[in-house]
Amino acid sequence: MNKFQIKQIKVEKNEVGSFYGKFVIDALIPGQGITIGNILRRVLLSELGKIAITGIRIPGIKSEFSTIPGLREDILELILNLKGINLKSKTNKVDFGKLKIKGPKIITADLIQLPPDIEILNSKHYIGTLSTSDLLELEFKLEYGTGYKLAKNPFLLQSDKFLQLDAIFMPVHKAEFLIETVYDFQDNITERLFLEIWTDGSLTPKEAIYKSSKFIINLFRSILKNKVVKKLK
């Protein structure tokens, strides 16, 4: 069996906290590059998860067409801004946060009160502007998930329930791979796999590779534990 190695050859972090990483896997048998590249890309984009705001409760608001006293933005604009908050959590449990602020004030993400296990990565993200001395109170529901969650009855506002929000739980924004054929002096042929990963900052590209590889290993381990005992006729 060939012993291949993975190396991180480049890593960058931009101003908003997102990461870019480039990796290379050497000494692959011809055909292994496409197999490894495809499965890693698939898992990176669809099986890794993160925490996001999935619900909001606004005291006194009964309709998406209501206005919040003193707030320059309407409900739909407020929700859109909240969706842009990038969170990182040490746990996968459901949590809650709150915002209580008196105007006049420019409201940014760092004013949200969260449990100690949750971090806001883009703390200066704009939420809204209170142009008067009114008091704004918001409650947030935070959940861990994978992929994309479409809100059910998004505008069903009740005083005792959270307004559900669409949520994106994908820490990896983009993943691409390239395969290069390598010939040595003995005319032996191997493959070199280049893998590029862009993340939102809640995971580094190296962490994304590790978690994806662990997911794949556990998937095949579960197949090994459940051995096929009957042959197809």
Side-chain angles (χ1 to χ4, degrees):
M1 180 181 291
N2 61 323
K3 294 182 179 179
F4 56 80
Q5 292 182 331
I6 182 168
K7 299 177 183 177
Q8 182 170 286
I9 57 178
K10 190 174 184 180
V11 61
E12 296 175 353
K13 185 177 182 180
N14 64 24
E15 295 178 357
V16 296
S18 300
F19 282 98
Y20 163 78
K22 187 173 184 178
F23 302 83
V24 61
I25 303 177
D26 282 311
L28 295 173
I29 294 174
Q32 287 184 337
I34 188 71
T35 302
I36 296 173
N38 272 329
I39 192 171
L40 273 177
R41 183 177 184 275
R42 168 70 172 79
V43 173
L44 283 164
L45 292 174
S46 62
E47 301 297 343
L48 301 186
K50 61 170 293 181
I51 194 171
I53 297 175
T54 59
I56 177 176
R57 182 157 56 195
I58 312 170
I61 298 300
K62 302 296 182 182
S63 165
E64 73 273 20
F65 302 109
S66 301
T67 58
I68 300 175
L71 188 67
R72 213 176 269 175
E73 287 74 15
D74 59 29
I75 300 294
L76 296 179
E77 289 175 320
L78 176 66
I79 289 172
L80 185 62
N81 291 339
L82 291 174
K83 289 180 181 179
I85 297 176
N86 191 13
L87 300 169
K88 180 178 181 179
S89 178
K90 297 178 181 178
T91 68
N92 296 347
K93 63 184 180 71
V94 177
D95 262 312
F96 298 89
K98 62 180 180 179
L99 172 67
K100 188 175 182 179
I101 195 77
K102 186 177 178 60
K105 185 79 173 179
I106 295 176
I107 307 165
T108 51
D110 57 343
L111 297 175
I112 298 175
Q113 300 174 42
L114 294 172
D117 289 336
I118 299 177
E119 177 188 357
I120 297 175
L121 298 175
N122 53 344
S123 59
K124 297 303 178 184
H125 178 76
Y126 177 80
I127 296 175
T129 298
L130 268 178
S131 55
T132 65
S133 58
D134 289 281
L135 180 68
L136 175 65
E137 292 185 75
L138 303 175
E139 293 180 76
F140 306 98
K141 185 177 182 180
L142 313 166
E143 294 180 278
Y144 180 90
T146 58
Y148 183 81
K149 179 183 178 182
L150 188 63
K152 298 179 181 179
N153 299 321
F155 298 125
L156 182 60
L157 291 172
Q158 299 180 21
S159 59
D160 60 337
K161 292 187 178 181
F162 283 87
L163 165 65
Q164 296 184 43
L165 308 183
D166 298 335
I168 299 175
F169 301 104
M170 297 183 289
V172 177
H173 288 161
K174 186 179 178 183
E176 294 182 350
F177 67 90
L178 176 69
I179 300 165
E180 183 180 276
T181 302
V182 180
Y183 300 87
D184 64 15
F185 293 109
Q186 286 77 39
D187 289 332
N188 295 316
I189 302 174
T190 59
E191 287 184 346
R192 183 178 293 145
L193 173 66
F194 293 94
L195 183 65
E196 296 178 283
I197 301 171
W198 291 259
T199 75
D200 66 358
S202 59
L203 281 180
T204 66
K206 187 175 181 179
E207 290 171 334
I209 284 279
Y210 174 81
K211 289 194 172 188
S212 297
S213 301
K214 189 175 181 180
F215 177 90
I216 296 167
I217 290 169
N218 289 338
L219 177 63
F220 283 99
R221 184 175 289 140
S222 66
I223 295 175
L224 290 174
K225 288 181 179 179
N226 296 280
K227 295 181 180 179
V228 178
V229 294
K230 293 183 179 180
K231 293 183 179 180
L232 292 174
K233 293 182 180 180

